[in-house]
Every structure is written in structure tokens, then in C-alpha cells.
Amino acid sequence: MSTIKQQDFIDSIADALQFISYYHPLDFVEALADAYEREQSEAAKHAIAQMLQNSRMSAQGHRPICQDTGIVTCFVKVGMDVKWDKTDMTIQEMLDEGTRRAYNNPDNPLRASIVADPAGTRKNTGDNTPAVLHLDMVKGAEVDVMIAAKGGGSENKSKMVMLNPSDSIADWVVETLPKMGAGWCPPGMIGLGIGGTAEKSAVLAKESLMDPVDIQDLIARGPQSAEEELRLEIYERINKLGIGAQGLGGLTTVVDVKINSLPTHAASKPVTLIPNCAATRHVHFTLDGSGPADLQPPKLEDWPDITFEVGENVRRVNLDSLTKEDVLDWKMGETVLLSGKLLTGRDAAHKRIAEMLSKGEELPVDFTNKFIYYVGPVDPVGDEAVGPAGPTTATRMDKFTDTMLEQTGIIGMIGKAERGDKTVQSIAKHKAVYLMAVGGAAYLVAKAIKKADVVAFDDLGMEAIYQFEVEDMPVTVAVDSMGNNAHKEGPATWAVKIAELDEALQK
């Protein structure tokens, strides 16, 4: 029998959520570093370099790896012999209190992203509660906790299917993953839950993402079960697709494939696929009654000495004097360094703008010859102009893009990952451009933002329209004014190159 103090549990949750907001698990850092060394695609190599540099900067500065500081998911296993010192709070209430304290920490405030009434008003709860709790009773006298903060970009790409018993899981995964786009910020991990029931397979998949990155060890020793064979098959087949870092084409799309399974009905084969992202954030600790969790920080020297350096093929742009004609000669794949003023806006702001335009109302800001950046930043601390401010998934703004290009005067957009086919056609029609910033490099991007002011819709919180003043903000031309699309051409090119490399190795 052990007695666990409620306060120790609350403190441990708060400490863990702060800890994972700025410390990547080192196994994931090492996997990214290995992918960087192997990568032959220049665009993918640059993207991974930005992720690694951002990771080190976040660890050093104790600021979030990503502006999307996630929805909290916690797996708690309580030993049957555990006694709590107080019984006035449930485990859900203790978890929420720890979450509230972590996200409202004045030294490192984390972005509150949770909205209540999801089918209605979608009002932000203000403190990122409630957290998602998965609770089990197990043998023993300890409380085992695995906690993660999962970003919306990767969570939104989750897929579930009820396969026939004779269907191939690997075929379904390899067919499904390219359709997910790059909004989950590859390279990362994918978790598979197989069996149980429909809802249980999703929990199994999510829990698998808490496991360490060990696929290279598995490759070295060889598979010893059907599940390990499946992991290797999926890992190899996905990476041969050529999707690459940020979907720009390259050798590494996934750094690991994890599987959890349970027995299932003889007529069923439920499978859920959940990707993790470049902001892989999780930690595991155990409480035994001796006090709160002792989370040991990694050493900065454990990070690889890899930094993002712009090459010779770089275009420096003054946003304050830019015109529509100036962007016509920008080419897909170019690196661009932006300086000057740009406006921000994401889902809620775009919806409000569209409603105002439909009513003939005057907009509160002038978008003429401006770029709009799809971002919801973290609040600043100290002398920061803004907290971590990486891009959000651009496809969520696709349904508004034609209206924005036709009626507001914007000449370009900045976001994460690909655009839909109709949106690419609209960009080409209006001779605009779409620039991609690297997902998973939010703190690095924030260092380029020298001033940030809310200029409209301040009631929307992090979804308000800001005016940023930036200096040498790095982006890539993902869709140019002719409609050339890096997220189509890059993976297609690298899928062919990988096939040619395989063929050459087999000779």
C-alpha cells in the first residue's frame, strides 16, 4: 500500500507539460538527425535543419517547440494498492488542475487551444482544459503516467477504417497516407491501433505514440513477430513514396511506425492510424508516494550541431514596397527571406472576413498588396515581440482563398503544407503565390518577428488579426504564380528517384 498525495500528482502534471513544451524526447531528436544525414533532397534537408535548430533553441530558451501547444492526452494507470491522501478531487479534476497551472505559467505561457461546445459556439476555455484522460486500474502500488500534448495539425490527419479480415493493413496505410497531405509535419511517427473495437483501436494507436523511436534497432536485429514484420513493411513502403520532410519530397517521411493491438471480433479488423508530428511531445513518469515526479532535463550537448543556413538561391524581399507584378517571377522551390509588415489570420478571422464581405461591410484592415500568414501565436514573455509563431495547416483556409484573392487585394499567403487543387488553380488565376513556412520551427520563426500588434478582431484571442514586422523570415515558394506546385512535383520526383536508387542497389 502506498499513499499518493493529490498535490504531488497535480505538480507532476504541471511540471511535465512545461517540460515537454520545450524538450523533445532525445530519441526523436536523434532520429531526425539521422534522417538529416541520409537526406539527399535539398528542400527536405533544409526543412529538417530548421526543425532541429528550432528544437535546440526551444530547449535552451524554455519556450514552446510549436505555437500549437496541443490538446493534453494522459494515460493514467492506478495500482490497486494505491491510496490517495485526499478524496475531494477525481483524477480528471487533478489532471485538469495540473493542465491549468502549466498553460497559465507566466514564465512560459502555453497557447490555450481547447474550445467548448464544439458543435456550436466553440468558445475557448481559456486554460486548455479539459484534458483527455484514459484511466486504467492495474496491479501494484504505483501511479503510472504517460502524458502528451498533441497538435491539431497532426491530430486532424487521423484515419480509421473497418477492414475485412482478409484485407491488407499495409496496403490500406500506404494508400491512405499520401491522401493525408503534409499537415502533420513529416517526418514523424505514425501509430497504428489494430483490433479491439472501433473506439478502442483509436486509443491503442494514440498510446503507441508514447513508445520510444526504435525502428533502426528493429532493422538491425530483424523482426521476431508478425507485428514487427508489419512495422518494417509499412516503414519501408511509406518512405519509398518520396513524400519527405514537410511534403516537399525526400527520402524520409516517417522515422518510426508503432503498433498496438488487441484481440477483436472474428468478423472485424478495426484499424486506426494516428500520426505524430515534428512537435513530438510526451513524457512518462511514475509516482510511488515519495514525492512528485523528478523529470531530468536533457543536456544541450545531446542535440546535433545542425543549423539552417540559406543557400545562394535566396530572394530577399521588402514586403512594404511589394506589388502584384513583383511576385510574377518568383519560382517554385525558391527560398525567400521576408522583411517588413505582414498580416495574420486563420480560421475564425477568415470566416468573419468572408461574412463581412458578403454583407458589403468595410474590412477593419487593408489587405492590398499584402501577405497573410496563417498563424495563431503563443503570448510573448520578457522582451519577445511574440511567442512561438509557426504556421498552421493551410488547407483549412482553402475554402476562403478565392474570396480573399478576388476581394481583398492580397497577393500571397504563408502557411504550412500543401494547398488543394482548386486553391492552386485560384492562385494561378489571380497570379498570386503561396509560401510555405516549416511546421515544427515555431520558435525559430518567432525570432524573425520584431514587432507584433493586434489590428483587428481582438475578441478572437490567438485567432485575432495581427500585424507582424519581420526581418529575414525564411519561407519557400510552394505554389508560384503559374500554379507550379512543390507539394505535387517534389514527392513525384523523389518517388521516381527512390525507385531508381533501389533498382541500382539490386543490380
Side-chain angles (χ1 to χ4, degrees), residues 295-359:
L295 303 174
Q296 292 297 316
K299 299 176 182 177
L300 285 176
E301 52 264 34
D302 291 332
W303 267 259
D305 188 18
I306 295 170
T307 56
F308 167 68
E309 303 290 344
V310 296
E312 295 180 1
N313 183 29
V314 62
R315 183 187 295 268
R316 294 181 182 272
V317 169
N318 180 356
L319 292 167
D320 297 335
S321 59
L322 205 62
T323 67
K324 192 176 183 69
E325 289 69 30
D326 292 329
V327 305
L328 296 179
D329 64 344
W330 296 11
K331 301 301 181 186
M332 181 199 75
E334 271 191 296
T335 298
V336 180
L337 296 180
L338 303 176
S339 296
K341 298 180 180 67
L342 60 82
L343 296 165
T344 77
R346 34 180 285 159
D347 309 64
H350 276 76
K351 181 180 179 183
R352 190 172 292 183
I353 289 169
E355 290 170 348
M356 293 179 71
L357 289 172
S358 69
K359 297 174 183 176

Side-chain angles (χ1 to χ4, degrees), residues 402-468:
D402 209 50
T403 297
M404 294 292 291
L405 290 173
E406 284 184 353
Q407 300 187 47
T408 69
I410 64 168
I411 56 176
M413 300 144 286
I414 307 164
K416 180 180 76 174
E418 74 286 341
R419 307 308 298 264
D421 290 342
K422 289 183 178 179
T423 299
V424 172
Q425 292 170 12
S426 180
I427 291 169
K429 172 186 173 184
H430 294 96
K431 299 301 178 184
V433 291
Y434 167 60
L435 310 178
M436 190 209 78
V438 170
Y443 195 34
L444 177 64
V445 170
K447 293 298 184 182
I449 301 170
K450 305 306 177 183
K451 188 177 180 182
D453 297 303
V454 175
V455 292
F457 307 157
D458 58 353
D459 61 301
L460 296 180
M462 62 92 174
E463 294 216 54
I465 296 179
Y466 287 76
Q467 180 175 271
F468 286 170

Side-chain angles (χ1 to χ4, degrees), residues 216-252:
Q216 297 304 323
D217 293 337
L218 176 55
I219 292 171
R221 69 168 171 80
Q224 297 174 358
S225 67
E227 280 189 7
E228 289 184 344
E229 290 176 357
L230 182 59
R231 284 179 64 194
L232 289 181
E233 179 186 356
I234 293 172
Y235 173 81
E236 291 169 0
R237 290 178 64 182
I238 287 176
N239 284 327
K240 287 181 180 179
L241 294 172
I243 295 169
Q246 303 291 306
L248 294 171
L251 298 179
T252 302

Side-chain angles (χ1 to χ4, degrees), residues 165-232:
S166 60
D167 291 341
S168 166
I169 294 170
D171 286 352
W172 176 76
V173 172
V174 174
E175 179 186 353
T176 300
L177 194 126
K179 299 174 184 176
M180 289 163 38
W184 59 282
C185 296
M189 301 162 60
I190 64 167
L192 291 173
I194 304 170
T197 52
E199 81 284 358
K200 187 62 176 181
S201 71
V203 176
L204 290 169
K206 182 63 67 66
E207 191 171 11
S208 77
L209 293 171
M210 305 288 186
D211 291 342
V213 178
D214 64 356
I215 197 80
Q216 297 304 323
D217 293 337
L218 176 55
I219 292 171
R221 69 168 171 80
Q224 297 174 358
S225 67
E227 280 189 7
E228 289 184 344
E229 290 176 357
L230 182 59
R231 284 179 64 194
L232 289 181

